[in-house]
Amino acid sequence: RKCGSAFMKNFRPLKERLEECAILSEGKEDGWEVVDQDGIDAILAEEVILKWIRAQKDAAAKGNLSEARCEYLDRLPGFNW
């Protein structure tokens, strides 16, 4: 049986998909250089993704998103939340 929070169940697949559109880059603050902006844009435009992102933003605005989760989101390639 696999365990995990709802956050991580949504975060991991999003991270993997966004990483397919970027390469690791030591010179970048977040560590990623986007090589397929259209791919990033398409992923981030999906309704399910938009809904999840909106929920994370709302939680952060209310002070209900942990610092660790904020850091996870900060490290997503091509994603500026």
Side-chain angles (χ1 to χ4, degrees):
R1 179 177 146 205
K2 287 190 171 187
C3 295
S5 68
F7 176 88
M8 290 309 273
K9 286 179 182 177
N10 288 288
F11 174 80
R12 284 187 192 109
L14 175 59
K15 177 179 180 281
E16 289 172 8
R17 292 180 65 202
L18 292 175
E19 285 177 354
E20 291 174 2
C21 300
I23 57 172
L24 283 173
S25 175
E26 292 181 26
K28 295 286 198 166
E29 183 177 325
D30 63 1
W32 294 97
E33 181 178 342
V34 173
V35 294
D36 181 5
Q37 187 62 52
D38 290 339
I40 296 271
D41 293 343
I43 294 166
L44 297 177
E46 294 175 13
E47 189 59 37
V48 172
I49 302 296
L50 286 171
K51 183 178 177 182
W52 184 79
I53 291 169
R54 203 172 304 121
Q56 304 320 303
K57 288 180 179 181
D58 290 347
K62 294 176 183 174
N64 295 330
L65 193 64
S66 72
E67 186 174 329
R69 288 183 178 179
C70 290
E71 289 174 9
Y72 282 131
L73 294 170
D74 287 341
R75 290 192 300 250
L76 287 174
F79 179 68
N80 184 2
W81 67 294

